[in-house]
Amino acid sequence: MSDVATAVKEEKEADHHPYFRPKDAATLILIDRSGDKPKVLVGKRHDKVVFMPGKYVFPGGRVDKSDNRIPVAAPISPELEANLLKGSPKIAPSRARALAVAAIREACEETGLCLGCKVDKPVKLDGAWKPFAEAGLLPDPSGLFLIARAITPPGRVRRFDTRFFTADASAIAHRVEGVIHADAELVELVWVEIGSQPLADAHAMTKNVLAELDRRLATGPLRHDAPVPFFHFYGGKMQKDVLGA
């Protein structure tokens, strides 16, 4: 079964459930600042998937059990951990680590781009982490920044409590060929300027997060002490708070 057919099957099987508790998820926004204007990496979703068909999105997905156990080249920064621990419900430091690591795993799975560092001794990694082992890498979440957090509105078939991370394109240490193709969930990858045409039809929350990233980039190098917005819904309306406020 193709990747697209699998995605459609999984989403349709979920339709009969009346309520979903949001699942922890992570998204990674890669930034290329080598030119005059920064560009972000987005992937175009297949036209036949149920969730946001044909839209340009950032790689991401729900946290996996392996994300808490996988060895890393360097830990997340104390400042990033502090940001991830803000808000409710409270999470443990191990969950904060898993969220950051999940963003790296999802990016590698969906785009073939792996953020990591070379290690002296080979480490056996299986499943989604196998490309890292084959390239002599361990995932490296030390350069990630938290840009926003958002929870899918109630009443949706699929609900996620998503943390949006960003990392510089220079952190890409390996590329897996053949991940992007006509039958994959993402059929195309493009580096685009924020506000450019490919993003004009992006999901509303994608635009919210991009606007926040654009504001952060305009002030200079990214910093961990910048306010992190939290988008959620209350009384049927979207609310924008600041984590930890």
Side-chain angles (χ1 to χ4, degrees):
M1 184 180 292
S2 71
D3 295 344
V4 171
T6 300
V8 172
K9 180 174 182 291
E10 288 177 350
E11 290 175 39
K12 283 193 173 297
E13 284 179 346
D15 287 350
H16 66 280
H17 292 284
Y19 174 80
F20 274 90
R21 172 179 288 181
K23 305 291 186 182
D24 278 336
T27 291
L28 183 62
I29 307 172
L30 288 167
I31 310 173
D32 180 0
R33 282 179 277 197
S34 61
D36 294 335
K37 294 183 178 180
K39 295 182 177 180
V40 294
L41 182 70
V42 289
K44 185 178 182 182
R45 286 177 62 82
H46 199 287
D47 289 334
K48 293 184 179 179
V49 297
V50 173
F51 187 61
M52 294 198 292
K55 298 277 189 182
Y56 282 94
V57 299
F58 301 117
R62 60 186 293 180
V63 175
D64 185 79
K65 292 180 180 179
S66 71
D67 297 329
N68 189 41
R69 302 189 301 266
I70 202 76
V72 294
I76 65 173
S77 69
E79 296 85 1
L80 175 59
E81 180 182 279
N83 279 336
L84 289 167
L85 295 181
K86 294 175 181 177
S88 180
K90 296 297 182 183
I91 61 172
S94 60
R95 194 60 171 179
R97 175 192 187 274
L99 284 159
V101 172
I104 292 176
R105 174 183 52 74
E106 286 287 339
C108 185
E109 283 186 297
E110 295 186 4
T111 70
L113 302 177
C114 305
L115 277 63
C117 287
K118 289 284 187 180
V119 291
D120 295 330
K121 294 182 180 180
V123 178
K124 184 178 180 180
L125 304 174
D126 298 319
W129 297 105
K130 191 174 181 181
F132 286 83
E134 293 175 342
L137 302 171
L138 281 179
D140 182 7
S142 63
L144 269 58
F145 289 81
L146 183 65
I147 297 299
R149 176 184 175 187
I151 298 182
T152 310
R156 302 295 175 87
V157 172
R158 306 180 74 186
R159 298 190 69 210
F160 297 103
D161 187 347
T162 304
R163 280 71 166 188
F164 292 84
F165 298 90
T166 189
D168 196 89
S170 61
I172 300 170
H174 178 63
R175 179 169 191 146
V176 181
E177 299 298 332
V179 173
I180 305 299
H181 56 83
D183 287 327
E185 186 173 339
L186 296 182
V187 299
E188 178 187 9
L189 289 180
V190 288
W191 291 94
V192 296
E193 294 178 11
I194 297 174
S196 61
Q197 185 57 37
L199 298 174
D201 193 36
H203 188 275
M205 190 54 68
T206 299
K207 291 182 178 180
N208 287 335
V209 176
L210 278 172
E212 176 62 26
L213 177 59
D214 200 24
R215 284 192 290 271
R216 294 272 294 268
L217 291 173
T219 65
L222 293 176
R223 296 165 30 188
H224 290 291
D225 60 354
V228 178
F230 173 34
F231 299 98
H232 61 105
F233 288 78
Y234 182 79
K237 295 182 179 180
M238 189 186 77
Q239 307 291 323
K240 179 184 176 182
D241 298 329
V242 174
L243 283 180

